[in-house]
Amino acid sequence: MKRAIELAKLGKGHTNPNPLVGAVIVKDGVVVAEGYHHAYGELHAERDALKNARERGVDVRGATVFVTLEPCCHHGKQPPCTEALIESGVAKVVVGSRDPNFLVDGKGVQQLTQAGIEVVQDFLKDECDALNPIFFHYIKTRMPYVIIKYAMTMDGETATSADESQWITGELARENVHRTRSDVMAVMTGIGTVLKDDPMLNVRLPQEHGKLPYRQPLRVVVDSWLRIPLDSKLVKTARDIPVVVFASQSLDGEGVEKLPALKEAGVTVELLSPGGDGEVLSIRDVLTRLGEHGVDSVLVESGGVVNASFFFRGDGSPETGLVQEVHVYIAPKIFGNDGNTVHTPVRGRGVMLPDDARMFGTPRIELFGDDILLKYEPHCKNRT
């Protein structure tokens, strides 16, 4: 099963919105074949492992299959894996994670059992579950799994008093951000960041030998009044890497006039009703729309105002359930500030009392050169 887990990781960044899955076939105590889900639309892990067995000329009748996720039992991009396993004549299937997809959710195990195949469930369950937090979240909620990422100095600044921010972290940390971009389906920012930095929000990593090219994420901009410049990098590259801009249905003037030019450039504009509590657009509505379009994960790389909208509504009340991870890069630098232009990663009204703070658990810690990455997940309940 540990080998199956390692195989599953090879599909990282290519299987969304499908899960990462690995499979290993063992006969007479020897690994005879293995496979994994390489990319969305391609063979599932079990079928890939059976294909590997055929290519090796191995008879898998009576063998045991170790698979990190319950085999599917429905037709999608691929036919059911349960059918392939039953037809192959394997005697036993050892399953790591249970599949919460209502199309599976125990039905895969039931089909195998009814066919006379012995099934063992929850084997190394925690390790297998750790492969697919994005898939599990999206299947259960139909909302994207959200990672908020920002970089700051030791004194908590995201820019200097002159509003300069490139670069806070070193090359290794920035390279890791590109890897994170490649793992999600979309990267989101706000119009303020677009106007200030003119970002590309794409993956810029060299292709690794023998591996699939890095998949480029959908680029998403929250831009209530459609201020995005037509000569911005995002607009100019929209036909190569898709761009979606979320704007208000209350658009008028220059915003309305810009719609045809954006469409001509290949930019998709989604119009939403303005949010309440002083918000122009509701981030929850943005995420809901993305989820409806099949986007299972979003990396947020934006300024403090957009970041704050994931944690607090305009009136300062908490916005819950929208963020699944926060990635905080800390550089060994001090910028200081002049007292008037303080730059912080989360801006807005926020809470009035320390005891009302949004609470997160103990971080996972990674080092990239001299920079530290802290990966936080929210507590189930905030302290009251």
Side-chain angles (χ1 to χ4, degrees):
M1 187 63 83
K2 288 183 177 179
R3 174 58 181 162
I5 290 170
E6 292 306 310
L7 288 166
K9 293 176 182 177
L10 296 177
K12 201 171 184 183
H14 298 288
T15 65
N16 309 66
N18 283 353
L20 299 171
V21 185
V24 170
I25 303 177
V26 175
K27 188 171 184 179
D28 299 326
V30 177
V31 172
V32 295
E34 57 186 31
Y36 67 98
H37 187 28
H38 292 246
Y40 179 68
E42 296 188 7
L43 290 177
H44 290 182
E46 299 93 323
R47 287 182 176 271
D48 191 47
L50 291 170
K51 175 174 175 285
N52 180 237
R54 290 193 298 273
E55 291 171 345
R56 293 183 174 189
V58 174
D59 181 0
V60 299
R61 285 177 295 182
T64 297
V65 179
F66 290 82
V67 61
T68 58
L69 182 69
E70 178 182 0
C72 67
C73 53
H74 63 285
H75 285 269
K77 293 285 184 180
Q78 293 289 330
C81 290
T82 50
E83 287 184 2
L85 291 170
I86 292 168
E87 292 170 0
S88 72
V90 299
K92 183 176 181 180
V93 176
V94 181
V95 176
S97 297
R98 302 191 183 210
D99 191 339
N101 185 345
F102 74 96
L103 295 171
V104 186
D105 196 16
K107 301 181 185 71
V109 168
Q110 183 180 28
Q111 283 189 12
L112 295 174
T113 302
Q114 289 175 343
I117 296 175
E118 180 186 355
V119 178
V120 175
Q121 295 193 79
D122 300 331
F123 190 79
L124 294 188
K125 182 179 185 300
D126 290 343
E127 292 92 329
C128 291
D129 285 353
L131 287 168
N132 290 299
I134 290 175
F135 172 73
F136 293 144
H137 175 81
Y138 181 68
I139 282 293
K140 292 174 182 177
T141 68
R142 289 297 164 182
M143 292 279 280
Y145 187 98
V146 173
I147 303 170
I148 289 184
K149 164 263 165 184
Y150 53 82
M152 66 183 188
T153 60
M154 292 165 57
D155 54 338
E157 298 287 346
T158 58
T160 68
S161 294
D163 204 24
E164 296 293 331
S165 58
Q166 295 184 341
W167 296 102
I168 292 176
T169 55
E171 289 185 11
L172 292 177
R174 299 200 298 273
E175 181 180 293
N176 191 61
V177 172
H178 283 270
R179 290 196 189 93
T180 305
R181 288 180 183 176
S182 73
D183 290 341
V184 298
M185 290 189 72
V187 177
M188 179 188 294
T189 195
I191 184 58
T193 299
V194 174
L195 295 174
K196 176 180 177 292
D197 297 334
D198 193 19
M200 275 287 287
L201 302 180
N202 63 337
V203 176
R204 299 186 294 278
L205 291 171
Q207 184 175 342
E208 296 182 56
H209 178 70
K211 293 190 176 181
L212 293 171
Y214 285 101
R215 185 176 61 180
Q216 294 294 344
L218 172 71
R219 281 112 33 106
V220 179
V221 181
V222 180
D223 180 11
S224 299
W225 305 117
L226 219 53
R227 293 187 292 153
I228 187 169
L230 295 177
D231 63 351
S232 65
K233 292 175 183 175
L234 289 171
V235 174
K236 289 195 292 186
T237 59
R239 293 205 175 276
D240 300 317
I241 307 173
V243 174
V244 175
V245 178
F246 284 91
S248 171
Q249 289 179 346
S250 302
L251 271 182
D252 57 12
E254 292 183 7
V256 173
E257 294 172 3
K258 196 180 288 186
L259 284 170
L262 288 171
K263 182 178 180 180
E264 177 66 23
V267 175
T268 299
V269 177
E270 295 267 359
L271 299 179
L272 297 176
S273 300
D277 299 323
E279 295 175 335
V280 179
L281 286 183
S282 162
I283 286 294
R284 184 176 290 275
D285 289 347
V286 170
L287 293 175
T288 298
R289 182 68 61 87
L290 288 172
E292 291 170 352
H293 290 326
V295 175
D296 71 351
S297 49
V298 175
L299 173 65
V300 180
E301 297 187 52
S302 195
V305 174
V306 171
N307 288 347
S309 67
F310 284 85
F311 300 109
F312 305 103
R313 299 189 179 97
D315 62 358
S317 61
E319 180 66 90
T320 58
L322 298 187
V323 179
Q324 283 64 58
E325 291 186 38
V326 179
H327 292 186
V328 182
Y329 290 86
I330 302 178
K333 302 175 181 178
I334 291 180
F335 281 173
N337 63 74
D338 61 11
N340 299 313
T341 53
V342 180
H343 296 281
T344 60
V346 180
R347 298 178 62 186
R349 181 176 175 180
V351 301
M352 299 297 105
L353 298 173
D355 280 351
D356 294 331
R358 297 299 307 276
M359 300 299 296
F360 289 79
T362 302
R364 290 168 285 155
I365 303 172
E366 299 178 22
L367 295 177
F368 296 93
D370 294 331
D371 301 315
I372 298 174
L373 169 58
L374 305 177
K375 291 184 176 180
Y376 291 95
E377 295 180 6
H379 274 311
C380 293
K381 294 182 179 180
N382 285 328
R383 183 175 60 191
T384 57

